[in-house]
Amino acid sequence: DTAVSQTPKYLVTQMGNDKSIKCEQNLGHDTMYWYKQDSKKFLKIMFSYNNKELIINETVPNRFSPKSPDKAHLNLHINSLELGDSAVYFCASSPTSGGPYEQYFGPGTRLTVT
Amino acid sequence: AQKVTQAQTEISVVEKEDVTLDCVYETRDTTYYLFWYKQPPSGELVFLIRRNSFDEQNEISGRYSWNFQKSTSSFNFTITASQVVDSAVYFCALSERPLPLDMRFGAGTRLTVKP
């Protein structure tokens, strides 16, 4: 029944490693997003994909690479992890037919880089 | 560029009090979209409301109400008769584009409702 799911929920890793966070939505939406929430709770959009095409690409280090194999999935791959990457990452989705519509968020992935 | 300001970092009230969370926005566009989201201690982000710039009608949903005033660029959120379960961080957000949404969030207001 989960609308937007993310795995893993928690991710602890060391500096320099490469990791991926997976996101899947079963709402039939054609737009998906990645957000980063820092320790002060500030939420910032990172990427937006519409029908597997990158639409929004904020000023994010190129160590972050989103990949959308199909409309229902948007994964986030992070290379050479740094301490400053520690945050909660949220995936979201929204429909775009006749919008705008609100975004539905996943439960978040808490990434801790040590 | 679009900007959202939530000047109240933290608010603490006692149960049954009314509380208003302020949201002031900046945009050059005449068409834009405003949102409120709730983030309870469990961490998920819960959608509360969406408003289009051409619809200034205020909205009430149970104990929640929203006051949208274009003249002051504000979209304030009031909780009437607050309850402990209302304790959360509340975010106001603005998008200047509808498809896809490009939401810019305010810094959030942490509301604590004490029994």
Side-chain angles (χ1 to χ4, degrees):
Chain A
D1 283 325
T2 304
V4 182
S5 60
Q6 295 178 229
T7 53
K9 189 167 175 59
Y10 299 96
L11 185 53
V12 181
T13 188
Q14 292 184 329
M15 283 176 56
N17 286 346
D18 302 340
K19 290 293 178 185
S20 291
I21 305 172
K22 295 185 177 181
C23 177
E24 176 181 3
Q25 54 94 4
N26 62 7
L27 298 167
H29 295 166
D30 50 10
T31 302
M32 297 184 72
Y33 311 78
W34 276 109
Y35 287 85
K36 178 181 180 180
Q37 185 173 45
D38 63 24
S39 57
K40 296 185 178 179
K41 293 285 191 179
F42 186 68
L43 268 163
K44 185 176 177 183
I45 191 167
M46 300 173 69
F47 302 103
S48 167
Y49 264 77
N50 177 253
N51 281 319
K52 301 198 303 175
E53 182 184 348
L54 182 63
I55 303 297
I56 297 172
N57 184 2
E58 284 299 296
T59 307
V60 175
N62 56 16
R63 298 181 294 104
F64 290 80
S65 54
K67 286 189 172 48
S68 181
D70 55 57
K71 287 197 309 183
H73 296 84
L74 180 62
N75 304 323
L76 182 65
H77 189 75
I78 316 170
N79 289 328
S80 303
L81 279 155
E82 300 177 357
L83 291 176
D85 297 333
S86 294
V88 179
Y89 293 85
F90 286 96
C91 176
S93 72
S94 67
T96 51
S97 300
Y101 297 98
E102 58 274 12
Q103 293 180 15
Y104 295 84
F105 284 80
T109 295
R110 183 175 294 276
L111 171 65
T112 303
V113 183
T114 61
Chain B
Q2 65 204 91
K3 184 181 174 183
V4 176
T5 301
Q6 294 180 256
Q8 304 151 308
T9 306
E10 295 191 33
I11 300 176
S12 181
V13 300
V14 177
E15 219 173 7
K16 298 184 183 177
E17 283 186 34
D18 298 347
V19 58
T20 295
L21 309 181
D22 297 334
C23 174
V24 174
Y25 61 91
E26 292 178 31
T27 177
R28 295 182 194 170
D29 285 9
T30 55
T31 301
Y32 50 89
Y33 310 89
L34 294 162
F35 304 81
W36 276 96
Y37 279 83
K38 173 182 179 180
Q39 187 173 39
S42 51
E44 72 272 24
L45 283 156
V46 180
F47 167 77
L48 296 178
I49 190 171
R50 177 189 70 249
R51 233 13 182 188
N52 304 329
S53 55
F54 39 87
D55 180 4
E56 280 193 81
Q57 200 167 12
N58 291 328
E59 184 153 338
I60 298 174
S61 176
R63 296 184 296 106
Y64 294 173
S65 62
W66 291 269
N67 184 356
F68 178 26
Q69 291 197 339
K70 288 175 75 171
S71 59
T72 55
S73 297
S74 64
F75 186 41
N76 296 337
F77 173 30
T78 297
I79 302 175
T80 303
S82 59
Q83 300 176 1
V84 173
V85 293
D86 296 327
S87 296
V89 179
Y90 291 87
F91 293 95
C92 181
L94 165 69
S95 179
E96 292 174 339
R97 58 190 295 180
L99 301 170
L101 289 172
D102 183 8
M103 288 201 301
R104 306 299 163 135
F105 284 82
T109 297
R110 182 181 297 277
L111 173 65
T112 302
V113 181
K114 299 178 181 177

